[in-house]
Amino acid sequence: MKSFNIQFTDKTLQESVQAKLDNLNKPKGSLGRLEELAMQVCLIQQTLNPSLAHPCHLLLGGDHGIEREGVSVSPREVTWQQMVNFTRGGGGVNMFCRQHNFHLRIVDMGVDYDLSGVKGIIDQKIARGTRDFLYEPAMTEEEFDRAIQIGSDLVDSCAAEGCRVLSLGEMGIGNTSPSSIWMSIFGDIPLKDCIGAGAGLNNDGIRHKYEVLSEALQKYQATIPQPSAINPLIYFGGFEMIAAIGSMLRAAELHIIILIDGFIMTACALAAIRLHPATQDYMIFTHCGDESGHQQMLNIVGANPLLHLGLRLGEGTGALCAFPIIDSAVRMMNEMNNFNDAKITKYF
């Protein structure tokens, strides 16, 4: 696996940031979470005047072998159909990227369809979907390394354009299944508490999903009794999910703000944190979605999400919805006057 040099944010600047916050013409602490966000962003960028320049959104697509076991209500062709739809501007992710001026990159990491001729899709296909992890590892170590590298390279291309804030989203039918297993493994939570309806399974569907994933997890544990942090990623992950992890790690290395979306991207964030704990300093957990277990996964990393809107679309839409709150925190630091300049008596 590619190595990353990720440092915890330097807290030396914290006192200066707090002093600036406390001297803005407002009661001390009166802007609540905005002040917490401002502190985090300032420490990430090591400045008292942070920037959200050239925000980028990576939409990563890939199919999953486990989908063939009937663990999702949606068929796998929805993955490629939606990928094409995104190029035409018709998805939820498109709408929010337009609204908040994010540069959208649509990336085929492993969709089970030939998208090479579709304008607007970056072709990084590793294979036409992962293998069925009920019977074998989802990918090889070589494929894992390649997906990590691609994710890292995508961030480099964003950074070269001046990106200071990165949002991540996914498109892949069946990807709640590996997310649930990662949650169970990394969070030491019973698998049954990690499985939800995904795109809309009924109770029978959820029960079947649990039976399939439970069998797969038992086989994995018998095969790899002492796993490293990487083993569950190779065995269960999707190419789009591994690329997301690579993107998160590289963004943290470059001191880029990382906006974490819903259940799948939180599972990827959890994996990234297990690989490099300092990565969490650069992450803003944007919302708690409607997928069963998402709040528990946020609790594992001690995250306090910005929004609770019952979202479960994926694509990174929740992260994009939360962006204006982060923008407000940065504008507060850069545009709000202080007591001295405004000639207002400090009233606290």
Side-chain angles (χ1 to χ4, degrees):
M1 174 182 164
K2 173 183 171 65
S3 62
F4 296 89
N5 180 21
I6 302 171
Q7 305 296 320
F8 290 98
T9 55
D10 186 348
K11 305 302 190 293
T12 305
L13 193 65
Q14 189 167 342
E15 186 174 341
S16 297
V17 176
Q18 192 63 55
K20 182 174 181 178
L21 284 167
D22 291 346
N23 280 287
L24 298 176
N25 54 342
K26 60 174 180 60
K28 185 177 180 180
S30 60
L31 283 175
R33 286 295 302 280
L34 294 184
E35 298 192 31
E36 295 174 15
L37 283 170
M39 174 66 76
Q40 183 181 3
V41 171
C42 287
L43 293 180
I44 289 171
Q45 297 185 350
Q46 289 294 292
T47 179
L48 296 178
N49 301 103
S51 167
L52 298 177
H54 196 74
C56 289
H57 186 83
L58 298 179
L59 193 287
L60 307 163
D63 279 304
H64 296 252
I66 195 65
E67 175 272 337
R68 300 197 185 282
E69 303 300 327
V71 295
S72 174
V73 70
S74 303
R76 70 170 43 210
E77 59 261 30
V78 171
T79 303
W80 74 259
Q81 291 166 355
Q82 277 284 44
M83 292 288 282
V84 173
N85 181 44
F86 297 147
T87 68
R88 298 168 180 164
V93 66
N94 302 98
M95 173 186 64
F96 292 125
C97 281
R98 288 192 296 267
Q99 181 183 8
H100 303 307
N101 297 310
F102 273 70
H103 180 187
L104 174 62
R105 284 174 167 83
I106 306 166
V107 187
D108 175 8
M109 289 300 307
V111 178
D112 188 12
Y113 192 82
D114 183 6
L115 296 171
S116 59
V118 179
K119 184 178 180 181
I121 295 180
I122 300 171
D123 185 5
Q124 295 288 352
K125 192 191 299 288
I126 294 173
R128 290 183 60 152
T130 55
R131 298 164 184 83
D132 186 346
F133 62 65
L134 181 60
Y135 304 106
E136 60 183 324
M139 65 188 72
T140 65
E141 187 172 348
E142 180 183 6
E143 290 170 334
F144 169 83
D145 289 343
R146 186 177 168 195
I148 288 285
Q149 184 66 58
I150 291 169
S152 176
D153 291 345
L154 287 167
V155 172
D156 282 340
S157 67
C158 293
E161 297 172 356
C163 173
R164 304 300 301 275
V165 56
L166 179 74
S167 179
L168 294 151
E170 84 299 322
M171 183 64 229
I173 299 302
N175 56 17
T176 60
S177 290
S179 300
S180 296
I181 290 181
W182 286 357
M183 175 183 170
S184 177
I185 292 173
F186 293 129
D188 194 25
I189 296 172
L191 181 62
K192 63 180 174 58
D193 296 332
C194 304
I195 293 174
L201 289 172
N202 58 23
N203 289 337
D204 288 340
I206 293 172
R207 183 164 49 251
H208 171 72
K209 183 176 179 179
Y210 169 70
E211 290 169 354
V212 170
L213 299 189
S214 180
E215 182 179 347
L217 183 57
Q218 289 171 16
K219 289 179 178 178
Y220 164 78
Q221 291 168 336
T223 304
I224 309 175
Q226 293 181 317
S228 68
I230 291 177
N231 291 146
L233 308 184
I234 294 172
Y235 202 97
F236 300 108
F239 296 129
E240 83 283 17
M241 298 170 71
I242 303 302
I245 294 168
S247 295
M248 292 174 188
L249 295 175
R250 181 57 174 156
E253 189 174 39
L254 295 177
H255 291 244
I256 292 172
I257 301 158
I258 310 165
L259 306 186
I260 305 300
D261 187 49
F263 186 69
I264 288 96
M265 285 299 104
T266 302
C268 294
L270 178 59
I273 292 166
R274 289 294 184 264
L275 292 172
H276 288 276
T279 307
Q280 187 168 351
D281 277 5
Y282 303 86
M283 295 174 170
I284 296 175
F285 291 84
T286 59
H287 77 108
C288 180
D290 202 33
E291 176 68 14
S292 175
H294 191 195
Q295 182 63 64
Q296 287 190 75
M297 194 160 14
L298 292 166
N299 292 342
I300 292 169
V301 295
N304 184 15
L306 295 177
L307 302 175
H308 293 77
L309 298 177
L311 306 178
R312 55 183 177 88
L313 174 59
E315 304 172 14
T317 48
L320 294 166
C321 281
F323 177 73
I325 299 174
I326 302 156
D327 186 34
S328 292
V330 168
R331 288 177 182 273
M332 173 188 66
M333 287 298 288
N334 293 332
E335 300 177 20
M336 195 171 179
N337 211 343
N338 59 43
F339 285 104
N340 289 338
D341 291 346
K343 297 181 173 55
I344 296 173
T345 300
K346 205 168 187 179
Y347 52 91
F348 61 86

